[in-house]
C-alpha cells in the first residue's frame, strides 16, 4: 500500500512543480526587466488553452480544472469506502465528510468549467486516474480494523497536505478570475479536512 500511496501523490507533486517552475520563471522575468509581471487579461477566453499555456508556463486552466476534479473525485470515493469499512466512529464520520464535501467541490468545479467552456485536460504524463484506482483497490483489499482506519487516516493527512500545496500553486497559475475564486473558496475547507484528519490520526496512535 505504501507504493500505491506514493504513486497516488505523484500527480500532485508534478502539478506543484509545474506551477513552481512557472513562478520561478516569472520571478526571473521581473528581475531581468525590473517590471512587475503583467496581470491576467480578463478578456482572455477561458477555453483558449494555447494562450493559457503560454501565460501559465505550461499549466493551463484546463489542466488545473482536471487536477482538482480528479482530486475531489478520488477523495469522495475513498470517503464513501471509509463509511463502510472504517470501524472507528471518528473515521466513519470523516469518510462521510470527505464524500459529501469533496463531491460538492467537484460539482462546483464542473459547473464552472461548463460555464467557462473549459474542457478538463490532463497535464502531460498524468497518471492520476490509475493511481487513484490503485489506492482504492489497496484500501478495499485490506481487512477492517484499526490497521485499516490508521492506513486511511495516514493517507488522508498526506493527501490533503499535497492537495493544499497544489491548490496554492494552482492559484498562482490560474488565468481565469472565477477559477481563482473557486480555489480560494475551497482553501479553508481543505484546511479543515487536514486539521480534522490530523486530530483523528493522533487519536488512533502509532
Amino acid at each position: 500500500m505504501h507504493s500505491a500511496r506514493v504513486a497516488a501523490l505523484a500527480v500532485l507533486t508534478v502539478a506543484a512543480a509545474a506551477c513552481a517552475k512557472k513562478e520561478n520563471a516569472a520571478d526571473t522575468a521581473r528581475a531581468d526587466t525590473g517590471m512587475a509581471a503583467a496581470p491576467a487579461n480578463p478578456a482572455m477566453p477561458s477555453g483558449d488553452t494555447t494562450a493559457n499555456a503560454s501565460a501559465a508556463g505550461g499549466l493551463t486552466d484546463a489542466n488545473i480544472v482536471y487536477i482538482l476534479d480528479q482530486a475531489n473525485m478520488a477523495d469522495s470515493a475513498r470517503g464513501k469506502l471509509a463509511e463502510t469499512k472504517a470501524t472507528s466512529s471518528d473515521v466513519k464520520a470523516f469518510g462521510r465528510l470527505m464524500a459529501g464535501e469533496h463531491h460538492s467541490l467537484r460539482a462546483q468545479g464542473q459547473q464552472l468549467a461548463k460555464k467557462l467552456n473549459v474542457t478538463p485536460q490532463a497535464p502531460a504524463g498524468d497518471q492520476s486516474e490509475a493511481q487513484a484506482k490503485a489506492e482504492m483497490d489497496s484500501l478495499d483489499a485490506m481487512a477492517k480494523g484499526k490497521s485499516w482506519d490508521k492506513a486511511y487516516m495516514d493517507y488522508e493527512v498526506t493527501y490533503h497536505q499535497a492537495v493544499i500545496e497544489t491548490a496554492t500553486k494552482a492559484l498562482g497559475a490560474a488565468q481565469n478570475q472565477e477559477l481563482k475564486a473557486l480555489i480560494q473558496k475551497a482553501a479553508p475547507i481543505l484546511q479543515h479536512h487536514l486539521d480534522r484528519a490530523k486530530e483523528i490520526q493522533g487519536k488512533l496512535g502509532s
Side-chain angles (χ1 to χ4, degrees):
M1 182 168 174
H2 176 71
S3 60
R5 181 176 299 113
V6 172
L9 293 171
V11 64
L12 299 174
T13 304
V14 169
C19 291
K21 181 179 179 181
K22 170 259 181 184
E23 290 178 349
N24 290 338
D27 289 342
T28 301
R30 284 194 292 270
D32 290 344
T33 63
M35 297 173 63
N41 181 2
M44 180 187 295
S46 302
D48 187 347
T49 56
T50 302
N52 283 349
S54 175
L59 195 65
T60 69
D61 282 2
N63 293 155
I64 294 169
V65 168
Y66 176 88
I67 291 167
L68 299 180
D69 183 71
Q70 288 294 310
N72 284 318
M73 177 175 62
D75 218 19
S76 178
R78 284 192 299 271
K80 289 179 181 178
L81 182 64
E83 287 187 77
T84 61
K85 292 209 70 168
T87 53
S88 162
S89 59
D90 282 340
V91 177
K92 280 182 177 290
F94 183 83
R96 193 175 305 113
L97 180 68
M98 294 306 97
E101 294 197 346
H102 278 286
H103 175 78
S104 177
L105 287 172
R106 187 185 185 207
Q108 292 175 51
Q110 290 176 332
Q111 290 169 5
L112 180 60
K114 183 177 181 180
K115 175 184 177 182
L116 301 178
N117 194 30
V118 172
T119 301
Q121 183 178 25
D126 179 83
Q127 297 292 321
S128 57
E129 288 189 56
Q131 291 157 357
K133 183 180 184 303
E135 181 62 27
M136 277 290 289
D137 289 347
S138 179
L139 285 170
D140 197 30
M142 288 183 68
K144 291 183 178 182
K146 184 177 180 180
S147 293
W148 193 97
D149 291 357
K150 187 177 185 309
Y152 172 66
M153 293 313 306
D154 286 349
Y155 182 83
E156 286 299 306
V157 168
T158 305
Y159 189 80
H160 276 86
Q161 288 171 333
V163 169
I164 289 171
E165 180 180 355
T166 299
T168 301
K169 298 296 185 180
L171 182 62
Q175 298 300 299
N176 184 277
Q177 294 305 309
E178 289 186 80
L179 180 56
K180 285 179 178 287
L182 182 64
I183 296 170
Q184 290 173 323
K185 181 180 178 181
I189 298 173
L190 296 174
Q191 186 61 53
H192 172 67
H193 292 174
L194 176 58
D195 293 342
R196 182 59 179 148
K198 286 182 175 180
E199 182 182 352
I200 297 171
Q201 183 187 49
K203 289 182 180 179
L204 295 175
S206 57

